[in-house]
Amino acid sequence: MPIYRHLYIEHRGDDGWGIPNAFAPKANMFHPELGQFAWVHPRAGWLDLFWSEDAIFPFQPGAPEERGSSPLLNHLKNRRDYGFDRNEDSLSWLPLTEMWLDSWQDETVLVGYPVEARWVPHFGDGNSPFPIDLLSDPDFKEDRDLRERARLWRGAPINGMSGADRFRWSIRPPHAAFNVTWRETIAELIGGRYAQLFTSLRDYGRDEDLRILSVCG
């Protein structure tokens, strides 16, 4: 069973940190009473934005110093099988101000994913938008979730049109896997459903009064 990433929202009020008054959880949440607003499959590539060596919005490991009346942290504290020191790697948090939500529609990132070598030319210089027309090609039988599984690319764009990159893919068998890269906005990488979930958190208060906590499990 995969280890899902669970996300919780908290608001800072007069009594410390707690669930926002207007919080309305979705029906499929595991712990709505603790402020859970989303859970994510670990293969979702956009998690690199928050939990990776080169994360753009890195979550802070462990529990925040201001625990107060936090429903989630109190719940974890009272579990016999949980200890903040032993499980620091599974618990993390981030102030909403550090997600820079206003930049998500404009800021772009380079992402990559392996496809069959024969499709490499469709990605051009590797620094262009995703070739969306490729998904309508009946012969394109790659994983249809490749955009969801695309991960942050740490190197230079893979140029399938010229130079060493073109030579490398051209000598590969047509069906052999070969990495390609393309550029997307942060919102596109995260995807409409989750991007909207994050931006809608602003309905619960000012950015500086909100924080997100995450637990793996």
Side-chain angles (χ1 to χ4, degrees):
M1 180 177 179
I3 299 177
Y4 290 97
R5 177 73 65 175
H6 302 269
L7 302 170
Y8 304 80
I9 183 64
E10 291 188 343
H11 175 264
R12 178 173 51 198
D14 296 336
D15 299 326
W17 290 94
I19 300 176
N21 292 331
F23 180 66
K26 304 295 183 182
N28 65 341
M29 294 299 106
F30 292 90
H31 298 289
E33 75 282 1
L34 301 179
Q36 185 181 23
F37 68 92
W39 54 272
V40 189
H41 195 285
R43 72 187 180 196
W46 59 264
L47 292 176
D48 284 354
L49 291 168
F50 308 106
W51 295 278
S52 71
E53 181 181 343
D54 298 326
I56 298 176
F57 314 105
F59 269 59
Q60 302 176 30
E65 292 185 6
E66 294 182 59
R67 300 183 186 180
S69 56
S70 165
L72 174 62
L73 297 180
N74 286 329
H75 168 76
L76 295 176
K77 180 181 178 181
N78 293 328
R79 279 177 45 181
R80 292 183 179 180
D81 62 339
Y82 194 92
F84 288 116
D85 294 336
R86 298 194 310 272
N87 295 275
E88 185 181 67
D89 59 338
S90 71
L91 173 66
S92 57
W93 70 286
L94 186 71
L96 196 66
T97 53
E98 295 185 17
M99 297 195 81
W100 301 101
L101 293 172
D102 290 331
S103 69
W104 285 16
Q105 296 293 336
D106 303 308
E107 190 73 21
T108 62
V109 291
L110 192 67
V111 297
Y113 195 82
V115 300
E116 291 183 353
R118 58 179 172 150
W119 302 115
V120 174
H122 291 268
F123 292 84
D125 62 2
N127 199 36
S128 303
F130 183 87
I132 195 66
D133 292 346
L134 190 59
L135 295 179
S136 61
D137 190 320
D139 293 327
F140 185 72
K141 303 187 184 303
E142 296 295 322
D143 183 347
R144 295 294 174 168
D145 296 329
L146 83 167
R147 294 189 72 190
E148 294 182 11
R149 301 186 187 185
R151 312 199 76 93
L152 288 180
W153 190 256
R154 295 176 175 85
I158 297 175
N159 189 338
M161 305 303 292
S162 62
D165 291 330
R166 176 181 172 83
F167 174 75
R168 279 194 290 265
W169 73 257
S170 66
I171 62 175
R172 299 292 299 276
H175 298 291
F178 196 91
N179 283 322
V180 293
T181 59
W182 65 92
R183 189 164 289 279
E184 291 192 328
T185 66
I186 293 172
E188 288 173 332
L189 175 59
I190 294 177
R193 181 164 68 94
Y194 282 107
Q196 177 59 33
L197 274 176
F198 282 116
T199 56
S200 66
L201 296 177
R202 286 176 153 174
D203 295 340
Y204 302 133
R206 303 182 305 166
D207 286 12
E208 53 265 39
D209 292 327
L210 296 168
R211 69 184 183 187
I212 297 175
L213 291 90
S214 174
V215 176
C216 291

